[in-house]
């Protein structure tokens, strides 16, 4: 079930549609573009292996407890406004795995938080943790973060161009 409690839009269908488009894009971009860490200690690019890697994602879009800043103060005012909204979120949103549309070639599953860290490490080739997404009122710009286990914590600025979301800029904030 997808829970909405945002004052950004009264149209929950539009919010849900855009949320899943952005989540799908981030999974495709950050889940497969980086090298996978395999339990045997090998590091192979997705294209170098015949198996379908498994990407685990957290089942909720988390709100962040830390206040974020944009490092480049010349960012568009619209992104600064999105950052203000992003910093006010106080609730998580549950995801529905069936609504995430990703490229083929890998398995996408929710992270099983009942497993130990070692069991999780062996279950997933990559683990992604997504945050809440801040949209402008016209759904043309968005701001969010993504954490990659054994990777980095990124702030992402996105544009919606003719109905397709694209990452305009992603900035690593720190190694995760």
């Amino acid at each position: 079930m997808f829970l909405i409690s945002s004052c950004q839009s009264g149209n929950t269908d539009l919010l849900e549609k855009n949320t899943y488009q952005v989540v799908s894009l981030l999974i495709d971009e950050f889940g497969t573009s980086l090298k996978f860490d395999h339990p045997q200690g090998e590091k192979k690019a997705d294209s170098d292996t015949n198996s379908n890697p498994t990407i685990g994602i957290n089942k909720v879009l988390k709100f962040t407890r830390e206040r974020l800043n944009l490092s480049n103060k010349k960012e568009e005012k619209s992104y600064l406004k999105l950052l203000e909204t992003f910093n006010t979120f106080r609730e998580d949103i549950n995801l529905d795995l069936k609504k995430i549309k990703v490229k083929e070639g890998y398995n996408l599953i929710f992270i099983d938080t009942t497993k130990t860290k070692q069991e999780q490490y062996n279950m997933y080739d990559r683990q992604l943790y997504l945050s809440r997404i801040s949209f402008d009122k016209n759904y043309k710009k968005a701001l969010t973060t993504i954490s990659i286990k054994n990777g980095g914590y990124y702030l992402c600025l996105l544009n919606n161009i003719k109905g397709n979301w694209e990452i305009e800029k992603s900035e690593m904030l720190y190694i995760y």
Side-chain angles (χ1 to χ4, degrees):
M1 176 180 240
F2 189 83
L3 300 175
I4 305 290
S5 60
S6 172
C7 60
Q8 291 182 342
S9 171
N11 188 343
T12 57
D13 291 337
L14 196 54
L15 176 60
E16 182 176 348
K17 174 187 165 202
N18 283 280
T19 296
Y20 280 104
Q21 286 177 352
V22 169
V23 165
S24 299
L25 170 66
L26 293 173
I27 292 168
D28 281 337
E29 291 296 317
F30 287 91
T32 60
S33 63
L34 302 171
K35 292 189 177 194
F36 288 95
D37 297 329
H38 293 275
Q40 296 81 15
E42 305 170 8
K43 291 192 178 189
K44 295 182 179 180
D46 181 30
S47 60
D48 294 342
T49 181
N50 292 329
S51 66
N52 288 341
T54 299
I55 298 173
I57 63 166
N58 199 19
K59 62 183 167 184
V60 295
L61 297 178
K62 298 286 228 176
F63 78 91
T64 182
R65 286 175 172 72
E66 61 185 294
R67 293 195 48 87
L68 299 176
N69 293 309
L70 292 171
S71 63
N72 182 356
K73 299 302 181 198
K74 296 179 184 177
E75 295 295 340
E76 289 185 36
K77 288 182 182 179
S78 58
Y79 284 124
L80 296 174
K81 180 69 175 155
L82 288 173
L83 184 61
E84 287 177 22
T85 302
F86 180 84
N87 284 329
T88 65
F89 291 143
R90 294 293 173 254
E91 296 136 3
D92 298 336
I93 294 179
N94 292 320
L95 289 174
D96 180 348
L97 199 60
K98 294 175 193 151
K99 293 182 180 182
I100 300 172
K101 307 291 184 225
V102 292
K103 296 176 187 172
E104 294 184 33
Y106 57 91
N107 301 312
L108 182 66
I109 59 176
F110 283 138
I111 293 171
D112 185 349
T113 56
T114 64
K115 303 283 186 193
T116 67
K117 287 184 180 183
Q118 184 60 39
E119 289 172 315
Q120 288 182 18
Y121 181 77
N122 291 330
M123 288 178 68
Y124 314 108
D125 294 294
R126 170 108 22 225
Q127 294 179 43
L128 304 176
Y129 300 85
L130 303 148
S131 75
R132 293 278 308 264
I133 304 166
S134 180
F135 293 100
D136 68 355
K137 65 181 178 179
N138 298 318
Y139 293 95
K140 297 295 180 195
K141 294 194 180 287
L143 180 142
T144 192
T145 63
I146 183 168
S147 298
I148 305 166
K149 185 76 171 202
N150 299 323
Y153 181 65
Y154 295 85
L155 175 66
C156 299
L157 308 176
L158 302 106
N159 279 323
N160 187 333
I161 300 171
K162 297 181 182 178
N164 294 310
W165 284 99
E166 297 177 2
I167 298 172
E168 179 180 315
K169 177 181 176 183
S170 63
E171 178 180 334
M172 183 188 286
L173 301 177
Y174 54 81
I175 295 176
Y176 177 69

